[in-house]
Structure formats: structure tokens, C-alpha cells
């Protein structure tokens, strides 16, 4: 990547912050509190694709924040033939949001990459995650200091891949489209969304999804150093 790049925009969950690991630990706390006698791993295998489905619907404005939080729990437990009252589901949902930023494992290589990039670029976050949780994640994982700005979909009023959120992030950062790059794991939200505005991108494709060959992609964060 040539040296015209001055600003690096990152997604947070699944790109720097190890959502899967931290989520698993939060569910261990949920299962303990509510005395749920089920194997966590078996539950997560059911929950994770359901959660991804709801997040896609949330990005597309087809479900509300409340429907996302409730629906993913209801659908996962229903699949396991476990039924809870709506009151208990809502309590679990609130607890999950509270428990989630208590564990703050980062993706392998995240801290090293940020240390490497910091002297060379101004760095920023663009996230669809819930506002009240994302700031805690950045602070508790001790990476907040690396980022000049944090753009959250709840504050902007639209979610990635809507180009408006990328426009907002560019504006508040003092960056320009021509001197910026977006790094994220979600091809639809992070990569296509940024490209729609003309931003260059790097896909952290640890999912090993099939994406167009012209896209720069890496399966490990350390390999981003080859491109910046």
C-alpha cells in the first residue's frame, strides 16, 4: 500500500476484540446465574449463527435493538427445547450486555498491529455495536488510546454498510477518502460498505469466506503489516 494512506479505520468486534471468546465467557456467567444445565459449546453452536442472522437483520433495519437482544436468546433456547418467560429472557439479555465487556481478550496479533501502526497513521473505529458496550470494550481491553475517533452506528443513526456512517467517520476524523483505508472482518458491512464510498479496504477474512479475488484479504492480523 503506498504511503498516501494517513488514516486507518478499524471495525472492532471480530476484527480487534475477540467477540467469540469473550461472548463464550459471558454465557458461562449467564448459565451459572440462571442454573442452566446445558453444555456451553453445544449452545454456542446453535446461538452463533442465530446471532449473526439477527445482526444482519439489524443492519438492514428489519429488527430493532430490543428485538435483536430478545430474539437471539428466544430462538437459541427454543432450538434446545428450553423455555423461559419474557421477563427472564430480558434479564438474561441485560446481564449478557453487562457481562460481555468484563472479559476482554483481543484477536491474536491485535495489540502488536496497533503498536506497529500507531507511529505511522491516525487510527479510528467504526462499529455497529451497542454504544454503551463498545466504549467499555475499548477501555477494558486497553486499546482505547490508539484511536483518535470512535464512530458508533447508534450515534449516527445508520449502520454499516450504509455509506453515511463511513462519511460521518471520515468527517469527524479530518480524513479524506483518498488517504484512508478500512479494515474489517465482515465483507458485506465493512468491505462493501467502505468500497461504496470509494475507500480502500483490507478484509480480515479469518472466517475464510469466499470473497472476490481483487479484494486484499488476510487471515491473520499480523499480515496486515505487509500492506501498510
Amino acid at each position: 500500500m503506498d504511503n498516501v494512506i494517513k488514516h486507518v479505520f478499524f471495525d472492532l468486534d471480530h476484527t480487534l476484540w475477540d467477540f467469540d471468546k469473550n461472548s463464550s465467557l459471558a454465557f458461562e456467567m449467564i448459565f451459572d446465574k440462571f442454573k442452566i444445565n446445558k453444555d456451553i459449546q453445544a449452545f454456542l453452536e446453535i446461538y452463533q449463527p442465530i446471532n449473526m442472522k439477527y445482526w444482519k437483520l439489524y443492519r438492514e433495519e428489519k429488527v430493532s435493538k430490543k428485538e435483536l437482544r430478545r430474539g437471539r436468546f428466544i430462538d437459541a433456547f427454543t432450538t434446545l427445547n428450553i423455555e423461559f418467560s419474557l421477563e427472564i429472557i430480558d434479564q438474561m439479555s441485560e446481564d449478557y450486555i453487562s457481562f460481555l465487556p468484563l472479559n476482554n481478550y483481543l484477536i491474536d496479533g491485535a495489540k502488536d498491529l496497533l503498536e506497529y501502526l500507531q507511529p505511522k497513521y491516525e487510527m479510528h473505529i467504526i462499529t455497529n455495536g451497542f454504544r454503551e458496550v463498545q466504549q467499555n470494550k475499548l477501555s477494558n481491553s486497553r486499546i482505547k488510546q490508539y484511536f483518535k475517533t470512535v464512530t458508533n452506528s447508534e450515534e449516527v443513526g445508520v449502520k454499516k454498510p450504509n455509506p453515511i456512517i463511513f462519511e460521518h467517520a471520515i468527517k469527524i476524523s479530518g480524513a479524506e477518502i483518498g488517504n484512508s483505508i478500512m479494515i474489517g472482518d465482515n465483507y458485506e458491512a465493512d468491505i462493501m460498505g467502505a468500497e461504496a464510498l470509494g475507500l480502500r479496504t483490507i478484509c480480515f477474512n479469518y472466517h475464510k469466506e469466499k470473497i472476490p479475488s481483487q479484494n486484499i484479504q488476510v487471515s491473520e492480523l499480523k499480515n496486515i503489516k505487509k500492506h501498510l
Side-chain angles (χ1 to χ4, degrees):
M1 198 65 64
D2 62 46
N3 60 11
V4 74
I5 295 294
K6 296 178 181 177
H7 295 264
V8 180
F9 293 82
F10 278 97
D11 173 48
L12 181 58
D13 292 332
H14 302 282
T15 299
L16 297 171
W17 199 81
D18 194 339
F19 186 90
D20 290 342
K21 186 167 188 176
N22 297 320
S23 177
S24 175
L25 293 166
F27 273 116
E28 285 183 15
M29 298 169 74
I30 292 282
F31 276 40
D32 183 59
K33 177 176 177 177
F34 291 91
K35 305 291 187 288
I36 301 169
N37 189 24
K38 286 284 182 181
D39 179 68
I40 289 279
Q41 204 51 48
F43 170 80
L44 289 173
E45 286 175 11
I46 291 166
Y47 172 83
Q48 286 169 349
I50 290 171
N51 185 46
M52 288 179 68
K53 178 192 76 173
Y54 270 95
W55 271 102
K56 181 173 171 58
L57 293 171
Y58 182 65
R59 288 197 304 270
E60 295 169 351
E61 312 282 351
K62 292 176 180 175
V63 298
S64 67
K65 178 178 172 180
K66 187 172 187 177
E67 287 168 333
L68 182 158
R69 288 181 169 183
R70 272 184 177 173
R72 59 189 180 180
F73 275 72
I74 292 170
D75 289 5
F77 284 121
T78 298
T79 304
L80 287 169
N81 296 312
I82 303 174
E83 191 174 334
F84 292 103
S85 69
L86 206 51
E87 183 181 2
I88 295 295
I89 288 288
D90 285 344
Q91 184 60 60
M92 286 183 187
S93 174
E94 289 301 316
D95 286 341
Y96 175 73
I97 296 300
S98 299
F99 295 160
L100 195 55
L102 297 181
N103 296 290
N104 287 280
Y105 289 93
L106 296 172
I107 299 284
D108 286 347
K111 198 76 176 280
D112 181 62
L113 177 64
L114 295 175
E115 285 286 335
Y116 170 81
L117 296 176
Q118 188 176 38
K120 304 179 179 186
Y121 308 97
E122 288 190 359
M123 294 188 289
H124 314 272
I125 292 286
I126 308 177
T127 175
N128 281 352
F130 301 135
R131 178 176 49 203
E132 68 270 30
V133 185
Q134 301 304 77
Q135 288 293 341
N136 286 338
K137 290 175 182 176
L138 287 166
S139 297
N140 296 349
S141 62
R142 297 185 174 87
I143 60 172
K144 187 176 182 179
Q145 74 273 15
Y146 292 104
F147 302 103
K148 183 182 176 186
T149 65
V150 177
T151 297
N152 187 285
S153 62
E154 285 194 302
E155 294 164 343
V156 181
V158 297
K159 307 167 191 71
K160 297 179 289 184
N162 191 314
I164 291 172
I165 191 170
F166 295 97
E167 287 176 349
H168 179 84
I170 292 286
K171 183 178 179 180
I172 67 167
S173 69
E176 298 173 5
I177 290 170
N179 66 15
S180 302
I181 192 165
M182 177 70 195
I183 300 172
D185 72 294
N186 188 295
Y187 180 72
E188 178 187 38
D190 299 315
I191 306 306
M192 291 179 68
E195 287 179 344
L197 195 64
L199 286 164
R200 280 173 278 186
T201 62
I202 297 175
C203 183
F204 174 43
N205 191 14
Y206 74 95
H207 318 282
K208 295 185 169 51
E209 293 179 3
K210 190 168 178 59
I211 69 171
S213 58
Q214 68 265 27
N215 286 99
I216 296 174
Q217 57 180 303
V218 298
S219 57
E220 295 180 271
L221 286 180
K222 65 182 180 182
N223 293 333
I224 288 171
K225 294 178 185 179
K226 298 174 185 175
H227 302 283
L228 285 171

